[in-house]
Amino acid sequence: MVTSLLRATMPFSLILASMTACAAPEPFACPAELGPTEQKALQPAAGWSAAVEGNGPARHVLTGFTINLGPVSKSDGAIYDDLREKKDGKGGVTETATWKVGALEEAQAVCAYHRTSVVLVRPLKGYTECTMVQERKRDSAFRMKEAGCR
């Protein structure tokens, strides 16, 4: 009955627009690698010179993920709500951290990359959950596998 009443009083395009506005945003994942960045030392310490290692641009692979409770300059990270660890029987471990972000105001996802202080930032308005997955092989450090929100 309410639907019939809405159809009679509201144009279809307005009904469709209001339904679209209520839809959850598309899930996203941090890019596995950041594109090229320009890096140089503006004022090296006295007696030192600055150089760039290797040929070509540095590879900036995904190495970190945080949920910030405001602007990145504030550096106020949220602690994950759940951390699950799964062992593979060969000495490896997979860790999955989960954040419930639906009630967080002004929260932002922050993707960090190797060999640069450049981060990718995305507002989390409309998202409910973010996860980060890290893997560690036997006798090695954890490496980021993926991170994203839905």
Side-chain angles (χ1 to χ4, degrees), residues 29-41:
C30 291
E33 193 168 314
L34 183 65
T37 59
E38 184 177 326
Q39 299 183 53
K40 58 185 174 182

Side-chain angles (χ1 to χ4, degrees), residues 11-33:
F12 179 73
S13 60
L14 188 57
I15 293 170
L16 185 59
S18 65
M19 289 171 52
T20 304
C22 295
E26 286 292 317
F28 70 86
C30 291
E33 193 168 314

Side-chain angles (χ1 to χ4, degrees), residues 59-141:
R59 287 194 62 219
H60 303 298
V61 295
L62 181 66
T63 56
F65 180 76
T66 57
I67 302 298
N68 219 51
L69 298 175
V72 174
S73 60
K74 190 175 170 185
S75 194
D76 186 12
I79 297 172
Y80 49 78
D81 295 296
D82 186 39
L83 181 65
R84 296 187 187 262
E85 187 175 277
K86 181 180 175 186
K87 297 183 180 185
D88 69 5
K90 299 177 185 175
V93 176
T94 300
E95 281 187 351
T96 304
T98 304
W99 291 261
K100 301 294 183 191
V101 297
L104 299 178
E105 304 236 352
E106 298 183 36
Q108 297 185 43
V110 181
C111 306
Y113 294 86
H114 180 65
R115 298 185 80 184
T116 182
S117 58
V118 175
V119 294
L120 297 182
V121 181
R122 188 168 182 149
L124 292 175
K125 184 176 178 91
Y127 291 91
T128 58
E129 182 177 275
C130 297
T131 58
M132 172 185 68
V133 179
Q134 300 184 97
E135 291 181 330
R136 176 173 57 93
K137 304 289 185 211
R138 181 184 187 115
D139 300 327
S140 70

